[in-house]
């Protein structure tokens, strides 16, 4: 049975969404292919967890995106289109990394700590990308040139990135008790259009 990926931060605030980033594009001149999360409230707000069961495809210091981890998840549900498939999740800018390449992980595995490492970072946050092309897990449309770990663009004929919102579920039950808010202006509000199912 396909798994439902959950939030990488148990208490998360979304500060920038997939391909939604007027500020992003005006500041940096490129499209935002990920989702930016910050830790909110409670204890250990900066612990980054794997979003489900999978295997670490890469982990280490990238010259552009700082401490990065990529996880290839076992078949996972896309709650937007109803499909399920393996996806790669990429996590950038972490302060530190707690997993290594080849390691099996579950939603209870801490993979790192939220940070502000690498370039194009104006504050501590977690940048998350999701991509269907698990054959090239370290290729990201975020980069326009190759770095040491991450490579530019995508392979094949089309953009294979997915809005992380469509793969993510908020696990409100024991033991995770997850919580999600979205930045709207200067206020934290509930996600407006129920894009994140609660489980
Ligand atoms: Zn980002």
């Amino acid at each position: 049975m396909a798994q439902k990926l959950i939030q990488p931060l148990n208490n998360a605030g979304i500060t920038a969404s997939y391909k939604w980033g007027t500020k992003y594009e005006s500041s940096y001149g490129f499209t935002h292919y990920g989702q930016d999360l910050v830790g909110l409230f409670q204890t250990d707000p900066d612990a980054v967890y794997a979003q489900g069961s999978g295997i670490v495809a890469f982990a280490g210091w990238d010259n552009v995106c700082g401490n990065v981890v990529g996880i290839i998840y076992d078949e996972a549900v896309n709650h937007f289109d109803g499909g399920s498939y393996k996806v790669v999740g990429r996590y950038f800018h972490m302060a530190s990394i707690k997993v290594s390449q080849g390691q099996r992980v579950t939603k209870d595995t801490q993979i790192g700590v939220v940070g502000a490492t690498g370039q194009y970072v104006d504050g501590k946050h977690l940048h998350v990308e999701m991509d269907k092309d698990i054959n090239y897990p370290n290729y990201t449309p975020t980069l326009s040139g190759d770095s040491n770990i991450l490579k530019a663009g995508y392979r094949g004929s089309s953009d294979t990135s997915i809005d992380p919102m469509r793969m993510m579920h908020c696990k409100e039950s024991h033991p995770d008790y997850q919580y999600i808010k979205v930045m709207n202006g200067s206020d934290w509000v509930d996600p407006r259009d129920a894009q994140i199912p609660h489980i």
Side-chain angles (χ1 to χ4, degrees):
M1 199 175 96
Q3 63 179 329
K4 291 178 176 173
L5 300 180
I6 65 173
Q7 297 168 202
L9 304 179
N10 284 337
N11 297 283
I14 301 174
T15 55
S17 294
Y18 178 79
K19 295 186 179 177
W20 169 87
T22 314
K23 174 183 163 233
Y24 221 89
E25 283 161 28
S26 60
S27 299
Y28 301 128
F30 52 75
T31 303
H32 193 231
Y33 283 97
Q35 179 182 60
D36 289 341
L37 298 173
V38 295
L40 297 177
F41 318 129
Q42 301 192 15
T43 55
D44 209 8
D46 292 334
V48 182
Y49 293 95
Q51 295 185 254
S53 298
I55 191 163
V56 177
F58 60 85
W61 175 262
D62 182 81
N63 294 328
V64 177
C65 295
N67 283 314
V68 300
V69 168
I71 295 171
I72 296 174
Y73 289 109
D74 304 340
E75 184 180 346
V77 172
N78 179 325
H79 60 73
F80 185 83
D81 68 12
S84 63
Y85 24 74
K86 289 187 175 186
V87 290
V88 55
R90 292 186 286 263
Y91 308 89
F92 298 169
H93 309 312
M94 290 187 286
S96 63
I97 292 174
K98 295 187 179 294
V99 289
S100 50
Q101 189 172 13
Q103 184 178 338
R104 286 288 311 180
V105 295
T106 71
K107 71 169 184 63
D108 298 317
T109 308
Q110 187 178 355
I111 64 169
V113 175
V114 179
T117 58
Q119 303 174 29
Y120 312 109
V121 178
D122 61 7
K124 194 169 78 170
H125 74 282
L126 181 70
H127 173 97
V128 181
E129 298 181 356
M130 286 279 161
D131 201 314
K132 272 183 168 177
D133 189 357
I134 61 164
N135 293 318
Y136 296 94
N138 59 328
Y139 281 72
T140 169
T142 289
L143 293 197
S144 55
D146 287 352
S147 186
N148 56 315
I149 292 180
L150 299 172
K151 304 300 175 191
Y154 44 84
R155 288 299 179 93
S157 58
S158 61
D159 179 4
T160 51
S161 64
I162 306 173
D163 183 345
M165 199 87 94
R166 297 180 173 184
M167 304 302 298
M168 191 166 82
H169 301 73
C170 182
K171 189 171 179 296
E172 293 183 317
S173 55
H174 176 82
D176 309 277
Y177 303 116
Q178 293 192 326
Y179 175 93
I180 190 98
K181 290 284 188 184
V182 176
M183 180 60 83
N184 181 16
S186 57
D187 296 322
W188 292 112
V189 301
D190 290 316
R192 281 155 286 180
D193 41 10
Q195 287 180 307
I196 305 170
H198 293 246
I199 60 174

